[in-house]
Amino acid sequence: MGTGKIILTSSFTRGIIGQAVFAALGIAFINVIRAALGLEATLEPGVVFGALISVIGFLLGAGVFTDWIKWIGGQKTPLRHGTPAGKPEWSRYLNVDYNHKVIGIQYGITSVIILLVGGIFAITFRLELAQPGMQFLDNDAYNTLFSGHGIVMIASILLGVGAMVNYLVPLMIGAPDMAFPRLNAFSYWVAVPSAILILAGMAVGGWDTGWVAYPPLSLRAPLGVQLFLLGFYMNGFSSIAGAINLLVTVATMRAKGMSLFRMPIFVWAAIATALIQFTATQTVGVSLTMAVAERVIGLNFFDPVGGGNPLLYQHLFWFYSHPVVYVFVLPGLGVISELLPVFSRKPLFGYKWIALSSLGIALLGFLVWAHHMFVAGMPNSLRYAFMLSTMFVAIPTGVKFFSWVGTMWEGKLSFETPMLFVLGAISVFLIGGVTGPILANVPTDLHLHDTYWIVGHFHATMFGGFIFPFFAALYYWFPKITGRMYKESLGKLHFWLMTPAFWVMSLGQMSAGIMGMRRRIADYDPALGVANTQMLVTIAGLVIGWSVLIMVYNLVSSARSQEMAAMNPWRSRSPEWQIPSPVPEFNYDVPFEVVGDPYDYGLSDSEYIRMMPAPSGD
Amino acid sequence: MNKQKHYYAVAGLVVIGTIVSYIFLQAIYPLPKAASAEAKTIDFMFDVYFGLIAFMFALIMAFILYASFVFRRQPDDTEDAAHIHGNTTLEIIWTVLPVILVIGLGVWGALEFRGLVSAKENEMVINVTGQQWSWSFEYPEQEDIVSAQLFLPVNRPIVLKMNSEDVLHSFWVPEFRVKQDLVPGYEQELRFEPTVIGRYKVRCAEICGKDHTTMLADVQVVSESDFAAWVEERSARPAYADLTPVERGELWYNAATGDWAGCVGCHSVDGAVRAGPTWLDIYGRTETLTDGATLTVDDTYIRQSIQEPNAQIVEGFNPNIMPQDYVERFTAVQAEILADEGVEIDIIADLIAFMQTLEE
Ligand SMILES: [Cu+2]
Ligand SMILES: [Cu+2]
């Protein structure tokens, strides 16, 4: 089969066609009904209904539901495995596939592509902000770009989390796959039409509400906001289904002898993450649905004119959207904890404390949401309560930092690219961490709220907690995924460009904020004295952008041409490194048994896992 | 190498790092001028938190950098490092100490916050209205003056009662440090006391749609006597926004306000001929010009006659009599009204409206 034909008949192509067809059907359906009722044709209700069912159209077209539909008809379908006959291996990544490693890589590649898209948005409006005065964007374009940047990056991060969790967790716990492979495919594929909806929203007029879409503004925003709300909403299915799958997998499919405290530490992070996704996503779903419904059918939840309450939305929204910050960072912090012992040749310092601190952060995360609303108009009593609860987040976070230091201390450190990114992550997450309490403290937050200080603070937590560790993970597990080594010199170049640039960027953003620059503005007052800082931040942003392109080039070119990597280039004790790379279809040809602790570096003759004797007789 | 030595070295680095970071923070994070009583309290907290940030940052970075330089693996060394699993005492210490610190900070923050939001004696109430994309301020204690500029007497506690006409907005003057969102349908309060005479800006801090960027208002903090003078001037003057165009047109005609020669000097409203044609029945009448042409008096012609009085001369009257600088003067007054009341007024349109009422 030719390349062109494979692409044209792939799940991706069929999905996009299905999405377009269903969107058109939805729009037509609503307007036919309206015509029958004697109402004039309008755009928004049709678009909303069309967008909603377009996601189903995509999934049907892509073939995500095929097996389930057959089951309903009483037909049995064996789990497909391996590359379909007569097709090249890469075709698996364009099609619905049930193998967790394929799905993990699909997540990963989509995440990086979307990361680049979000990055382009950011670079575009950063260039506008480099100087005071409007240069080449108008207010509407600016508002759409920064709103799109926010939500696209969130989608990218969620996909990146999915990539790491899907690829790594079954390998780490010795499972052949996830518990529900078809649900796993669904979790990935539903994220694709969701992302398409969001991008379509930007194309059909955009919106001006930021990614938070607070009413009443979101109730008056251009049509694009509807597609954004629906895309965001649909993406929630991916989170919830993925989380259930992960929890069941870890609960039931661990290797013999792998007690909870003998799991690789990343698995703990994945559990904590899944618990949040599984329990919090619903509330944002509710808030988004309510906003969509208020716009389309006039259900009056939020608009005060009809008796609604705008703050209700904010509470529902942040009840998810604060904890989701920990969905972004916990897996990243898990990567840091996972890699540090390997590159320090020392046990992870305080394994149980780190494991439990992940759970602690996840639980505390549910008690702090209203710090996003310190100036929103809440009663003072709530402001005191959320000030204190928020400050407590510092404690489990501190435990992680101290334990990382303990791990490195008196170790035998080496500085390959993954380790560099781990250290970069710690330094950047530290910047994000130490600039947090000043926001939890209400009196200082009264000044900093909704300024560039926030922008700097949360970019530091997102980069330190997700982007840097994610890049570390990409480099670290690259030889596992492809069997080949990336180019070390380009990896180091990437690190040395991106890390200082990021420091400049986030410190600069915070500086502009404290000097009086508000968030989400298309232009700023030169009288604030932040013009030079803004120029610096823009340059730093460009450097970060180029450095990421270097990584993409490095990984793509190395996957094809670099020399084969050793089986365990990092001398890790983790189970996934004890088998060949790329990993065989079913992971472990023979199951293993856990006989020791995961990070006992330096303990002579200790073993973490032992391959069980191959079953005889076949 | 002696283990103790490492710790001494790092301790030294932490001290130096803290000092350097603190100085660096103060340099790159300059707060705007402090112009309110609240700013004093809050800026002190900023200083303490900067110290804390500097210390926490230096503490972790000193260990990490030190370890990165001193505990390097030699390329040929394949042995693992010492097998140290953890240390429960240490873990407890670095859990409990921060707990104490956090509670301390929380209590301190709560006490200061209570001071910031509690009602003060002798507060002056100002009603604030935010709408896409402008501000308006009403002074209920000063005869309901309405102003687009926030005029404040220095050293007088202020309480803003804030409402929004449409979407969320947020009142923020960086020099005052405090901020509060405006929520449509739910009145919000914000308290502060300006302490430094000067000009500042209200900057809307909550995204409110297309022109959020330019949702600004001027703030002027003035001495008590200047404030009294402003109140007097503003309450003597009519609030133009509240008048109908016809009422305003009559004011412009009489030049009761505005510094120009009143039209009344040359144009009568009762048919009497003065230096210029009477305005009685002017709108829609047929006029013969000195060049013999005839035309009907409409909006365009009236505008033209005011902008360029000599362009078309009515038969029986002389050129160069009617002043030629009205447009300039009108523009200045319109700008003033925009600044004071936040409404855009077209003086010529008002005059036309007035003329239309002058029928026999
Ligand atoms: Cu939060
Ligand atoms: Cu506003």
Side-chain angles (χ1 to χ4, degrees):
Chain A
M1 227 191 216
T3 308
K5 188 158 181 217
I6 291 174
I7 294 176
L8 282 180
T9 56
S10 69
S11 295
F12 261 105
T13 316
R14 285 181 281 126
I16 289 171
I17 295 171
Q19 185 162 22
V21 170
F22 272 60
L25 287 178
I27 295 173
F29 178 73
I30 293 289
N31 284 306
V32 166
I33 292 188
R34 288 184 71 96
L37 294 175
L39 301 166
E40 87 282 21
T42 52
L43 200 53
E44 186 155 332
V47 168
V48 168
F49 184 69
L52 206 60
I53 63 169
S54 80
V55 176
I56 299 171
F58 184 100
L59 296 173
L60 280 174
V64 176
F65 292 144
T66 312
D67 276 10
W68 287 330
I69 293 172
K70 286 185 181 162
W71 291 4
I72 294 169
Q75 223 177 318
K76 289 221 167 86
T77 57
L79 207 52
R80 276 185 280 111
H81 269 300
T83 310
K87 287 192 182 176
E89 217 252 319
W90 58 262
S91 71
R92 295 182 78 174
Y93 299 98
L94 291 179
N95 284 292
V96 173
D97 197 290
Y98 297 142
N99 186 296
H100 77 97
K101 294 181 292 298
V102 173
I103 296 176
I105 292 165
Q106 287 175 325
Y107 265 114
I109 293 175
T110 319
S111 167
V112 172
I113 291 174
I114 297 210
L115 185 80
L116 295 177
V117 172
I120 290 170
F121 295 162
I123 297 283
T124 312
F125 65 72
R126 272 298 348 152
L127 287 173
E128 172 62 55
L129 286 173
Q131 294 166 44
M134 297 303 283
Q135 278 85 39
F136 61 96
L137 293 176
D138 59 18
N139 285 355
D140 281 328
Y142 183 90
N143 289 343
T144 298
L145 278 173
F146 87 74
S147 304
H149 168 70
I151 189 66
V152 163
M153 285 311 198
I154 286 168
S156 162
I157 294 178
L158 285 172
L159 287 162
V161 169
M164 295 196 286
V165 166
N166 260 288
Y167 189 89
L168 294 175
V169 168
L171 282 175
M172 286 178 164
I173 64 172
D177 206 315
M178 296 287 272
F180 308 116
R182 293 173 186 82
L183 189 65
N184 200 20
F186 168 81
S187 305
Y188 164 69
W189 284 96
V190 75
V192 178
S194 312
I196 292 176
L197 281 187
I198 292 170
L199 294 174
M202 295 182 68
V204 301
W207 68 98
D208 55 6
T209 65
W211 77 282
V212 297
Y214 282 173
L217 183 60
S218 55
L219 304 177
R220 306 159 170 242
L223 177 65
V225 78
Q226 284 285 27
L227 297 184
F228 152 69
L229 293 168
L230 287 166
F232 194 170
Y233 174 79
M234 284 295 168
N235 202 50
F237 285 97
S238 170
S239 294
I240 296 172
I244 294 174
N245 211 342
L246 186 273
L247 289 173
V248 175
T249 305
V250 175
T252 62
M253 296 172 74
R254 296 197 308 278
K256 186 163 176 241
M258 187 178 278
S259 61
L260 288 182
F261 285 118
R262 282 186 163 179
M263 299 189 301
I265 196 75
F266 179 80
V267 181
W268 272 100
I271 295 177
T273 306
L275 283 173
I276 300 171
Q277 287 185 295
F278 173 46
T279 46
T281 311
Q282 293 81 352
T283 66
V284 80
V286 165
S287 68
L288 300 172
T289 330
M290 288 162 90
V292 171
E294 179 152 358
R295 276 184 73 114
V296 191
I297 46 180
L299 291 177
N300 196 264
F301 298 114
F302 305 128
D303 194 338
V305 174
N309 186 340
L311 288 202
L312 173 62
Y313 176 92
Q314 297 183 27
H315 281 295
L316 289 170
F317 183 85
W318 289 113
F319 190 79
Y320 161 80
S321 296
H322 182 80
V324 83
V325 173
Y326 301 129
V327 169
F328 304 158
V329 306
L330 283 174
L333 306 187
V335 168
I336 298 177
S337 304
E338 191 66 51
L339 266 53
L340 264 187
V342 178
F343 290 94
S344 304
R345 313 309 306 162
K346 251 189 87 207
L348 182 61
F349 195 93
Y351 173 99
K352 283 188 184 173
W353 290 83
I354 292 194
L356 294 177
S357 73
S358 290
L359 284 189
I361 291 178
L363 292 180
L364 256 179
F366 280 101
L367 303 175
V368 302
W369 77 89
H371 61 217
H372 296 270
M373 302 166 60
F374 277 150
V375 304
M378 287 193 305
N380 287 336
S381 53
L382 289 181
R383 303 211 254 187
Y384 295 115
F386 280 97
M387 161 158 51
L388 201 62
S389 67
T390 301
M391 286 191 174
F392 267 97
V393 176
I395 292 158
T397 320
V399 166
K400 285 199 193 288
F401 277 111
F402 294 129
S403 303
W404 292 333
V405 168
T407 305
M408 290 173 70
W409 194 248
E410 297 188 322
K412 292 187 171 177
L413 313 185
S414 60
F415 299 92
E416 291 84 354
T417 306
M419 176 63 157
L420 288 178
F421 273 92
V422 163
L423 296 178
I426 296 177
S427 75
V428 168
F429 194 62
L430 183 64
I431 294 179
V434 296
T435 52
I438 202 166
L439 294 168
N441 180 46
V442 182
T444 37
D445 183 62
L446 293 182
H447 181 62
L448 297 175
H449 202 95
D450 273 323
T451 65
Y452 259 66
W453 178 280
I454 310 282
V455 177
H457 162 74
F458 77 73
H459 276 90
T461 54
M462 293 293 101
F463 269 73
F466 177 79
I467 300 285
F468 275 83
F470 181 54
F471 289 173
L474 287 181
Y475 285 114
Y476 179 79
W477 278 290
F478 185 80
K480 185 84 265 168
I481 296 168
T482 62
R484 295 169 198 268
M485 203 45 151
Y486 60 87
K487 298 186 191 73
E488 187 65 38
S489 53
L490 284 183
K492 291 208 159 102
L493 179 66
H494 173 198
F495 173 80
W496 287 111
L497 284 176
M498 180 164 139
T499 310
F502 184 81
W503 290 336
V504 170
M505 183 176 99
S506 68
L507 295 180
Q509 286 168 331
M510 287 189 255
S511 166
I514 209 164
M515 291 169 76
M517 176 149 169
R518 302 163 285 153
R519 276 180 89 169
R520 297 174 172 147
I521 51 175
D523 191 18
Y524 47 93
D525 188 350
L528 292 174
V530 299
N532 289 341
T533 316
Q534 288 297 328
M535 177 57 92
L536 212 59
V537 170
T538 298
I539 293 170
L542 284 169
V543 174
I544 295 173
W546 282 112
S547 76
V548 173
L549 290 182
I550 292 176
M551 176 190 79
V552 172
Y553 167 76
N554 188 357
L555 298 187
V556 171
S557 66
S558 303
R560 280 189 274 156
S561 56
Q562 271 295 92
E563 71 211 47
M564 301 306 287
M567 188 165 105
N568 188 355
W570 317 116
R571 295 192 294 132
S572 162
R573 290 167 59 94
S574 199
E576 79 272 18
W577 290 107
Q578 318 311 323
I579 50 174
S581 315
V583 181
E585 186 74 19
F586 298 106
N587 299 348
Y588 298 91
D589 292 338
V590 289
F592 64 76
E593 186 183 353
V594 171
V595 294
D597 284 324
Y599 302 103
D600 269 343
Y601 294 98
L603 186 65
S604 50
D605 299 331
S606 87
E607 275 183 307
Y608 177 33
I609 61 162
R610 186 179 298 153
M611 296 296 169
M612 303 236 235
S616 55
D618 80 341
Chain B
M1 180 137 101
N2 183 340
K3 272 190 171 188
Q4 296 293 61
K5 249 164 121 184
H6 292 312
Y7 291 108
Y8 291 137
V10 173
L13 280 178
V14 171
V15 174
I16 298 170
T18 306
I19 296 170
V20 172
S21 310
Y22 182 75
I23 295 171
F24 181 67
L25 284 181
Q26 295 285 0
I28 65 167
Y29 292 159
L31 281 156
K33 177 164 131 187
S36 73
E38 287 64 26
K40 236 194 208 136
T41 317
I42 291 174
D43 287 3
F44 179 66
M45 295 195 106
F46 264 107
D47 273 347
V48 173
Y49 271 87
F50 280 167
L52 215 64
I53 290 174
F55 171 70
M56 293 189 292
F57 184 75
L59 179 68
I60 302 290
M61 283 315 280
F63 272 100
I64 296 223
L65 288 177
Y66 186 85
S68 299
F69 283 101
V70 178
F71 303 127
R72 304 182 82 99
R73 179 167 69 86
Q74 298 310 312
D76 52 347
D77 182 0
T78 55
E79 290 277 297
D80 285 346
H83 178 254
I84 303 164
H85 245 278
N87 182 328
T88 309
T89 324
L90 267 181
E91 298 276 2
I92 292 175
I93 291 175
W94 65 47
T95 307
V96 172
L97 279 186
V99 168
I100 296 170
L101 180 70
V102 156
I103 294 179
L105 287 175
V107 170
W108 182 40
L111 291 176
E112 296 288 16
F113 180 62
R114 196 178 57 181
L116 295 177
V117 294
S118 58
K120 317 282 186 306
E121 257 175 55
N122 190 27
E123 273 176 351
M124 183 173 122
V125 178
I126 301 174
N127 296 327
V128 178
T129 309
Q131 56 179 310
Q132 287 174 323
W133 292 274
S134 65
W135 297 94
S136 138
F137 307 95
E138 192 211 1
Y139 293 73
E141 296 169 16
Q142 282 80 17
E143 304 180 33
D144 296 331
I145 294 174
V146 177
S147 169
Q149 249 188 66
L150 182 56
F151 242 80
L152 298 169
V154 74
N155 295 331
R156 170 96 189 262
I158 306 287
V159 52
L160 302 180
K161 309 242 178 208
M162 309 199 289
N163 283 286
S164 166
E165 298 272 294
D166 37 43
V167 301
L168 302 173
H169 300 281
S170 193
F171 179 98
W172 184 40
V173 178
E175 290 81 0
F176 296 163
R177 302 291 187 272
V178 290
K179 185 182 288 126
Q180 174 62 49
D181 285 4
L182 283 68
V183 184
Y186 299 81
E187 185 168 88
Q188 304 295 327
E189 278 182 1
L190 182 64
R191 301 192 142 78
F192 60 89
E193 181 184 329
T195 51
V196 180
I197 291 176
R199 285 172 171 272
Y200 314 100
K201 270 205 167 89
V202 182
R203 302 172 189 274
C204 176
E206 179 66 57
I207 176 78
C208 56
K210 179 165 167 285
D211 292 337
H212 165 58
T213 307
T214 45
M215 184 164 161
L216 309 167
D218 287 320
V219 180
Q220 269 199 64
V221 177
V222 296
S223 69
E224 215 175 313
S225 55
D226 284 356
F227 183 73
W230 177 78
V231 168
E232 189 153 344
E233 190 228 301
R234 285 304 315 270
S235 43
R237 229 188 56 189
Y240 294 107
D242 296 344
L243 301 177
T244 64
V246 175
E247 288 168 333
R248 282 198 300 260
E250 188 168 3
L251 286 176
W252 308 136
Y253 167 73
N254 288 313
T257 60
D259 56 39
W260 56 74
C263 325
V264 63
C266 305
H267 300 286
S268 76
V269 293
D270 58 3
V273 177
R274 297 182 190 157
T278 178
W279 283 5
L280 187 67
D281 281 331
I282 177 173
Y283 198 84
R285 88 175 159 215
T286 308
E287 207 77 84
T288 313
L289 303 182
T290 45
D291 61 5
T294 58
L295 50 72
T296 315
V297 176
D298 59 3
D299 289 19
T300 332
Y301 169 71
I302 297 175
R303 272 184 197 280
Q304 162 88 8
S305 305
I306 298 169
Q307 278 160 0
E308 278 179 82
N310 285 343
Q312 294 160 312
I313 305 294
V314 182
E315 196 177 30
F317 295 93
N318 295 321
N320 294 325
I321 307 268
M322 173 149 158
Q324 318 221 355
D325 61 349
Y326 279 126
V327 173
E328 249 167 73
R329 291 175 187 265
F330 288 178
T331 317
V333 170
Q334 284 169 183
E336 224 171 86
I337 294 171
L338 181 65
D340 285 346
E341 304 183 24
V343 288
E344 286 195 42
I345 281 178
D346 179 355
I347 292 180
I348 299 185
D350 292 346
L351 283 163
I352 294 173
F354 173 62
M355 289 177 195
Q356 284 168 342
T357 64
L358 303 174
E359 288 171 7
E360 234 169 350

